[in-house]
């Protein structure tokens, strides 16, 4: 089945040729799973994504969510898609069978999630948030809370959200003002206003359970005083059925640039002082609990960037192969020369190769992180567990921010490839771009991700996670030093990797010398630097596998590198050969055009230029 959402050949390459996910079955947790099962799941996911969910994408954008009489309705077409999604058990695809899940490795959840996200991200947020909220209850809830809430959420019968943001507490969550008054029996009266709550109200499910961050009366200011409460829209009767309204009022929904099929709500808790919530976990540990959901959501946002960019890229390639405009370069002076598809023009090919490099680089990154999750959860070897968990921790800010920043830029470049038509709503790329933009803002803005990377993640585990990561890259370089076709590209990666290691040391030194503004002010340039090294490493790792396979095909067919006609025919007729050639081309391109930016970034950072702080506020603009 061909689709313009996800390059399934590339997905298969990541799963089986690069990561060997069949090897995960050596861990007891995944012993019962096999390639046949994985492929069957992905095949079903593709069918659901293409046949059922994707047709709702444009409808969701045009119809939007509606708010009337205090209630939100989603675009009508979402109901059937939601029913099928829930029936397929997709919410708990990677959860423990003990909680009703199917127990598949996280990487299979991510692979199917990429398809659903590309098909309609606004739709996918409803079950995605439900899963995240239910997971909190699974980890921190009492048995009673699990039976009351979690079971129904995992089953898709009830929805879920995450309620952090308030008008005066966006990035600064610690400034929140929502209050919880104890009324005994672990219950609290909740009062306050949360804004921008995704899936905050809708008519897909009979109830919605809100994990709400609030401060118990008298608790200290800042994040230390925050606890988390489960607050259902409707109370739950003793027999588990939906009871009375719980005074959770939707004040409004936002009218926004993208993801219009997902409701973004203002929620007023306790307008009539009749909103009851239950404490989840311990008092004062609300941020720690919520971080579980935020980490899951941050990987989900990376998938959002990947999914939008993947779909935008495939549409752009398709359009560029069909759109006739201008003559071939060799004939450009001849007005009678036949018109060629724009994919023939060097500048269009430049855009497409840049997009391909980032889409495939992001896919490799996100799938590798999911694979690390699987190893860390599968292995019983403590050192291995710590190492792979460390990679997940270190790379989560990169996944979230580079996934969203590059995802958006790929979508924007897709609009450019389409030319004027890209700017119209006749083609889907403008929607991908609009839908993608939010990814760099929510779940902790990208600027905050960069600070998290520099201030927390680099030094985490006494710097061992960062050092292990550098070692991992070094291993790939060492085993490819004499790789003829990719020798120069690996040399460039080696130099970029050394620069990354050096910059880690430089920031540590700045910290020791009390020059905190250098790493803080340069957090984003550093994140860019590290992201480029990371993508470069993954793309070259892939290219080394692809190159070997390509050489084997050429040898088998008796085609040598100087046989141009033979090579042209090979890439035309043999899908594997052209796929592998693409992998090698992308890696060479990335090392030639992107990796040199690593050195430039490092040079800029090391100047310790403080213009950003020296410029007075009045000098930014003269009104
Ligand atoms: C469509 C949509 C859906 C959302 N869904 C949810 C949801 O489901 N649940 C939820 O709780 N919230 C949600 N949000 C809220 C979102 O997480 C916040 O908008 C985001 O955290 C930023 O907060 P803010 O808008 O108040 O911006 P601000 O915090 O005012 O930030 C503005 C700018 O200043 C920067 N900045 C602020 N403080 C610092 C600092 N200390 N250091 C460096 N830079 C800083 C930010 O990076 C940003 O660039 C959603 C928002 C939107 C638009």
């Amino acid at each position: 089945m061909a689709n313009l959402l996800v390059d399934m050949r590339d997905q298969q390459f990541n799963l089986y040729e690069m990561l060997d996910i069949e090897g995960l079955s050596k861990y007891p947790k995944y012993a019962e799973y096999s390639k046949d099962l994985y492929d069957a799941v992905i095949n079903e996911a593709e069918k659901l994504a293409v046949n059922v969910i994707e047709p709702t994408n444009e409808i969701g954008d045009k119809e939007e969510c509606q708010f009337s009489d205090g209630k939100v309705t989603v675009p009508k077409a979402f109901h059937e898609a939601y029913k099928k999604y829930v029936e397929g058990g997709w919410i708990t695809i990677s959860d423990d069978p003990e909680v009703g899940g199917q127990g598949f490795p996280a990487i299979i959840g991510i692979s199917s999630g990429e398809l659903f996200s590309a098909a309609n991200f606004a739709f996918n947020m409803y079950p995605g948030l439900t899963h995240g909220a239910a997971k909190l209850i699974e980890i921190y809830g009492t048995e009673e809370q699990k039976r009351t809430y979690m079971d129904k959420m995992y089953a898709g019968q009830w929805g879920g959200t995450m309620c952090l943001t308030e008008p005066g507490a966006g990035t600064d969550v610690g400034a929140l003002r929502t209050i919880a008054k104890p009324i005994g029996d672990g219950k609290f009266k909740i009062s306050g206003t949360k804004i921008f709550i995704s899936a905050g109200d809708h008519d897909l499910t009979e109830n919605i359970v809100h994990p709400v961050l609030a401060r118990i009366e008298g608790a200290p200011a800042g994040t230390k005083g925050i606890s988390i409460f489960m607050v259902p829209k409707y109370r739950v009767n003793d027999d588990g059925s939906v009871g009375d309204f719980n005074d959770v009022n939707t004040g409004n929904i936002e009218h926004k640039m993208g993801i219009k099929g997902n409701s973004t709500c203002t929620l007023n808790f306790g307008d009539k002082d009749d909103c009851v919530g239950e404490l989840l976990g311990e008092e004062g540990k609300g941020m720690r609990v919520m971080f579980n959901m935020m980490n899951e959501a941050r990987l989900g946002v990376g998938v959002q960037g990947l999914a939008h960019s993947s779909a935008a890229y495939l549409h752009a390639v398709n359009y560029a192969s069909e759109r006739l405009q201008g003559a071939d370069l060799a004939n450009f002076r001849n007005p009678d020369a036949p018109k060629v598809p724009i994919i023939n023009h060097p500048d269009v090919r430049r855009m497409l190769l840049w997009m391909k490099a980032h889409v495939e680089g992001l896919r490799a990154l996100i799938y590798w992180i999911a694979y690390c999750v699987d190893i860390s959860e599968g292995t019983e070897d403590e050192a291995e567990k710590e190492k792979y968990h460390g990679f997940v921790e270190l790379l989560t800010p990169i996944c979230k921010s580079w996934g969203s920043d590059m995802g958006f830029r790929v979508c924007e470049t897709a609009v450019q490839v389409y030319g004027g038509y890209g700017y119209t709503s006749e083609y889907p790329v403008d929607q991908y771009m609009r839908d993608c933009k939010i990814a760099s803002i929510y779940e902790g803005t990208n600027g905050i991700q960069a600070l998290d990377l520099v201030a927390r993640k680099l030094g985490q585990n006494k710097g061992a996670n960062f050092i292990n990561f550098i070692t991992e890259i070094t291993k790939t370089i060492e085993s490819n030093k004499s790789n003829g076709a990719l020798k120069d590209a690996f040399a460039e990666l080696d130099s970029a990797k050394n620069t990354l290691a050096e910059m880690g040391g430089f920031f540590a030194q700045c910290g020791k010398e009390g020059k905190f503004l250098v790493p803080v002010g340069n957090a984003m340039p550093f994140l860019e630097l590290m992201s480029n090294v990371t993508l470069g490493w993954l793309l070259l790792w892939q290219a080394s596998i692809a190159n070997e396979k390509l050489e084997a095909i050429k040898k088998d067919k008796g085609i040598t590198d100087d046989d141009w006609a033979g090579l042209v025919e090979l890439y035309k007729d043999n899908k594997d050969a052209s796929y592998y050639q693409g992998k090698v081309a992308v890696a060479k391109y990335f090392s030639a055009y992107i990796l040199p930016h690593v050195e430039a970034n490092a040079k800029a950072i090391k100047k310790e230029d403080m213009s950003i702080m020296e410029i007075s506020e009045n000098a930014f603009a003269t009104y």
Side-chain angles (χ1 to χ4, degrees), residues 245-264:
F245 183 59
N246 192 28
D247 199 13
V248 180
N249 306 283
T250 307
N252 205 352
I253 57 172
E254 301 296 338
H255 298 283
K256 47 197 200 296
M257 177 194 284
I259 55 164
K260 295 181 187 214
N262 194 272
S263 57
T264 307

Side-chain angles (χ1 to χ4, degrees), residues 535-555:
L535 260 57
W537 163 57
L538 292 162
L539 289 173
L540 271 158
W541 173 6
Q542 295 193 330
S544 67
I545 300 165
N547 190 50
E548 207 177 309
K549 298 198 171 189
L550 179 59
E551 289 305 316
I553 297 174
K554 286 200 281 194
K555 195 167 163 208

Side-chain angles (χ1 to χ4, degrees), residues 380-616:
E380 276 150 30
D381 173 336
E382 279 309 314
E384 191 177 42
K385 195 183 270 300
E386 187 174 279
K387 178 172 149 185
Y388 282 90
H389 180 67
F391 290 147
V392 178
E393 288 275 330
L394 179 70
L395 294 177
T396 294
I398 290 190
C399 170
K400 193 279 174 184
S401 58
W402 211 237
S404 54
D405 273 345
M406 289 301 114
F408 177 74
R409 278 174 221 167
V410 168
C411 294
E412 184 240 307
T413 311
V415 172
Q416 192 72 15
V417 168
Y418 271 74
Y421 291 103
Y423 198 69
T424 69
S425 49
E426 203 174 318
Y427 291 93
V429 285
D430 91 292
Q431 187 189 343
Y432 293 135
M433 187 181 87
R434 288 183 288 104
D435 284 354
C436 194
K437 183 58 219 163
I438 186 60
S440 63
I441 297 169
Y442 57 19
E443 286 320 319
T445 61
N446 284 1
I448 297 302
Q449 300 302 315
L451 285 173
D452 179 45
L453 176 67
V454 164
R456 222 164 65 82
K457 298 296 173 68
L458 280 187
Q460 204 173 33
N461 205 3
K462 298 203 173 88
N465 299 346
F466 183 64
I467 292 167
N468 286 340
F469 183 58
I470 297 287
T471 308
E472 210 68 16
I473 302 177
T474 307
K475 272 195 255 167
T476 314
I477 296 169
E478 287 301 316
S479 53
N480 278 286
K481 270 204 160 142
S482 50
N483 188 329
L486 295 164
K487 206 160 145 253
D488 291 348
F490 270 106
E492 191 71 51
L493 176 66
D494 195 26
S495 154
K497 179 263 302 178
N498 290 337
T499 304
L500 171 62
E502 185 199 330
M503 292 312 294
F506 175 72
F507 277 175
Q509 188 58 32
C510 287
K512 279 187 199 141
E513 291 171 16
K515 295 193 286 190
F516 297 110
L517 268 177
V518 177
V520 168
N522 285 294
M524 195 41 110
F526 177 81
L527 184 140
E528 181 177 333
L529 182 161
M530 185 163 163
S531 302
N532 281 333
V533 176
T534 307
L535 260 57
W537 163 57
L538 292 162
L539 289 173
L540 271 158
W541 173 6
Q542 295 193 330
S544 67
I545 300 165
N547 190 50
E548 207 177 309
K549 298 198 171 189
L550 179 59
E551 289 305 316
I553 297 174
K554 286 200 281 194
K555 195 167 163 208
D556 185 51
K557 308 260 178 218
I559 299 170
T560 52
D561 284 338
D562 53 5
D563 177 5
W564 278 101
L567 286 171
V568 168
E569 280 306 302
L570 179 71
Y571 298 142
K572 209 163 82 190
D573 297 338
N574 186 315
K575 282 197 163 185
D576 272 339
S578 60
Y579 173 75
Y580 293 135
Q581 195 226 358
K583 277 274 163 224
V584 174
V586 145
K588 283 185 173 173
Y589 168 82
F590 199 91
S591 88
Y593 284 91
I594 312 292
L595 284 181
H597 291 273
V598 169
E599 189 54 44
N601 262 345
K603 194 173 161 193
I605 295 169
K606 281 191 290 190
K607 281 191 173 153
E608 300 184 25
D609 175 78
M610 276 297 125
S611 317
I612 55 169
M613 300 314 288
E614 283 156 14
I615 181 172
S616 70

Side-chain angles (χ1 to χ4, degrees), residues 54-63 120 425-426 431:
E54 191 186 6
T56 67
N57 197 36
E58 192 185 342
I59 297 172
D61 191 50
K62 299 252 156 64
E63 210 174 293
N120 183 346
S425 49
E426 203 174 318
Q431 187 189 343

